[in-house]
Amino acid sequence: MDAAFTEEQHEIRRTLRELLLKRCGPDEVKAAVRTPPGYDTQLWQRLAGRLGLPGLALPTAYGGVGCGPTELALACEETGRVVLPSPLVATAALAAPLLLALGSERQRTTLLPALAAGELTATLAVPGGQLATALALTGPNDGDWAGGGRAGGIQARRVPAEGAAAPSRNGGQAAGGGWRLYGEAGQVLNGHTADVLVVAAHTGGFARSRTLLFLVRAADAGAARPGAEPGVPGLLRTRQTALDETRPQARLELRDVPAELLGEGHGDAAAVARALAATGVVAAAALAAEAVGAADTALARTVAHVQQRVQFGRPIGSFQAVQHRLADLYVALQAARSAAYYAAWSTGGGPEGDASEPGVGALALAQALEALRAVAAEAVQLHGGIGFTWEHEAHLYFKRAACDELLLGPVHRLRARAAEEAGLFPGGAAEPGGAPFAGRAPEAVEV
């Protein structure tokens, strides 16, 4: 196995880093998150048009670059360095893999080229804040995580054929597709601006209860682009106040919203669960690489600061206690980087493109989130009085670390799920609280 990056992969990193350093400093980031979309739309169009960023892991047959999860992870590492607010993760790591895995040929040819070119953005909407569970990162996704017929979820029901809507201008069959969605979902990444919503909904009633994925052509409810269709009737999207402004989230309320089943036929719940789990590995590797990039920049800026900050007549970086703290952070960062790279390689490096080891994505994400949290916390402290002020960029990395763990964590559940998938603790790892030997008597444990 050759673990070295190719020249093409190095070029992706160099080009993206050069562009982001020019266009995405701390002041630009703070200005972009306060716009209605929550990110710089002009910069996003340039990243999509010049570098093909959202289509890096999509096949060339659907307008993509034809690379894989490794290239996407490298790109996410660079965007993480500048804490770039963008719909990259929601579009390229969550929605696009599901469209590619489950979509019909008509759905793929209609939507994937537009996503790859940056003409449309997309996201995955999971009710009840169960995104990590739906992606099989913190628990098995074979349960009623989409609501199961209870309040707080999203329900899907068929409508008579005569109730189907007229064909939409942005592609294909009737926009309703014979389905209607009712319910709500919170903490949806870029949900207030995404043009295409991949919505997880419960259907089938008690007898044939199952969770399927549906497409909602939101088409930018504000009709910001010329020729865009108006918002879907019954869909209310509200941007939520989040601790990390660079990761915009929204609450979606659906009241008999017309939708289209993702895929063909009547839907296969088992195929949906497998596709979500595979997408979870891709998303975990991308977010792990992004966390590594953020931690790398935060550590570099902290090292530069302690070399300049003078106390007791000498730079504080010359004190042994400070050097030990920074050395520990560097070791943790390098371990997280190796784990993130391996997870990305493993995702697309198997015989059929599947992950070669169980739990590899969850373990990499746990390692990266821990490293970012530690680096960000030390950055705030070692910057002293300026580290905790809103004007300084240190808080951007600290809030990114906290919110990413809330989004797809916590870390101990990521590790417990990886242990369960690997079969390390049969009958125990899946117990509440993650106690590995919860199902065995104390005297049965060999020491």
Side-chain angles (χ1 to χ4, degrees):
M1 176 184 100
D2 185 5
F5 291 122
T6 65
E7 182 57 36
E8 181 183 9
Q9 290 169 335
H10 283 302
E11 185 61 27
I12 291 174
R13 302 178 69 172
R14 284 194 298 265
T15 305
L16 186 55
R17 185 179 301 185
E18 179 183 350
L19 178 59
L20 292 178
L21 285 176
K22 293 179 180 178
R23 293 286 304 273
C24 201
D27 293 335
E28 288 80 2
V29 168
K30 295 174 185 177
V33 298
R34 288 168 174 79
T35 61
Y39 61 93
D40 187 343
T41 55
Q42 293 183 350
L43 177 59
W44 171 249
Q45 291 299 325
R46 186 171 180 183
L47 292 173
R50 177 179 172 182
L51 302 179
L53 205 58
L56 272 179
L58 290 177
T60 55
Y62 298 111
V65 180
C67 296
T70 300
E71 288 76 13
L72 178 60
L74 292 177
C76 286
E77 182 180 359
E78 297 306 317
T79 61
R81 290 181 186 277
V82 296
V83 203
L84 175 70
S86 76
L88 176 62
V89 171
T91 299
L94 292 178
L98 292 172
L99 284 165
L100 185 62
L102 298 175
S104 64
E105 187 60 26
R106 176 187 60 80
Q107 291 168 340
R108 293 175 184 173
T109 55
T110 298
L111 296 175
L112 289 179
L115 293 178
E119 299 171 1
L120 297 176
T121 60
T123 190
L124 171 63
V126 175
Q130 298 292 315
L131 180 61
T133 302
L135 298 176
L137 292 174
T138 58
N141 62 354
D142 54 359
D144 292 332
W145 50 266
R150 299 180 295 275
I154 298 179
Q155 311 303 316
R157 65 179 178 86
R158 280 188 177 275
V159 295
E162 59 270 20
S168 65
R169 281 185 290 171
N170 58 358
Q173 202 170 328
W179 291 88
R180 295 292 186 272
L181 303 182
Y182 190 95
E184 65 178 42
Q187 296 179 291
V188 180
L189 290 181
N190 299 99
H192 63 300
T193 57
D195 303 300
V196 179
L197 304 175
V198 180
V199 183
H202 175 268
T203 186
F206 179 79
R208 299 182 58 198
S209 175
R210 63 195 191 279
T211 298
L212 302 176
L213 296 178
F214 299 86
L215 291 175
V216 175
R217 312 294 178 83
D220 195 35
R225 293 187 304 274
E229 293 190 43
V232 176
L235 175 62
L236 177 62
R237 306 195 281 178
T238 306
R239 183 176 176 180
Q240 294 178 301
T241 300
L243 176 63
D244 181 11
E245 293 180 307
T246 66
R247 189 85 80 191
Q249 302 177 19
R251 184 179 70 254
L252 307 183
E253 298 179 36
L254 304 99
R255 301 293 182 265
D256 274 345
V257 172
E260 178 183 351
L261 182 67
L262 180 60
E264 298 177 330
H266 299 287
D268 184 348
V272 168
R274 289 193 299 270
L276 283 168
T279 300
V281 181
V282 175
L287 281 173
E290 194 180 63
V292 166
D296 196 10
T297 298
L299 181 58
R301 291 181 177 178
T302 303
V303 170
H305 175 77
V306 300
Q307 290 175 336
Q308 299 172 357
R309 177 74 169 93
V310 176
Q311 195 170 17
F312 304 109
R314 55 191 289 195
I316 62 174
S318 64
F319 296 119
Q320 192 176 50
V322 174
Q323 293 175 354
H324 286 175
R325 291 165 71 176
L326 293 174
D328 289 341
L329 296 179
Y330 178 79
V331 171
L333 173 60
Q334 295 306 317
R337 175 177 279 116
S338 297
Y341 287 170
Y342 180 76
W345 172 84
S346 179
T347 302
E352 298 179 0
D354 297 327
S356 59
E357 294 183 19
V360 64
L363 285 177
L365 183 57
Q367 186 85 4
L369 291 179
E370 270 194 344
L372 176 57
R373 182 176 58 190
V375 170
E378 289 286 5
V380 171
Q381 288 212 356
L382 292 177
H383 275 86
I386 63 174
F388 68 90
T389 59
W390 294 127
E391 292 79 10
H392 200 270
E393 62 268 19
H395 74 93
L396 294 175
Y397 301 95
F398 185 82
K399 291 191 288 188
R400 172 61 67 87
C403 284
D404 274 4
E405 188 166 354
L406 290 173
L407 184 68
L408 288 180
V411 166
H412 73 273
R413 293 199 63 184
L414 289 168
R415 290 198 169 113
R417 174 58 180 167
E420 180 185 359
E421 286 186 313
L424 296 181
F425 307 116
E431 295 293 327
F437 297 103
R440 299 170 61 182
E443 61 270 14
V445 180
E446 296 181 3
V447 186

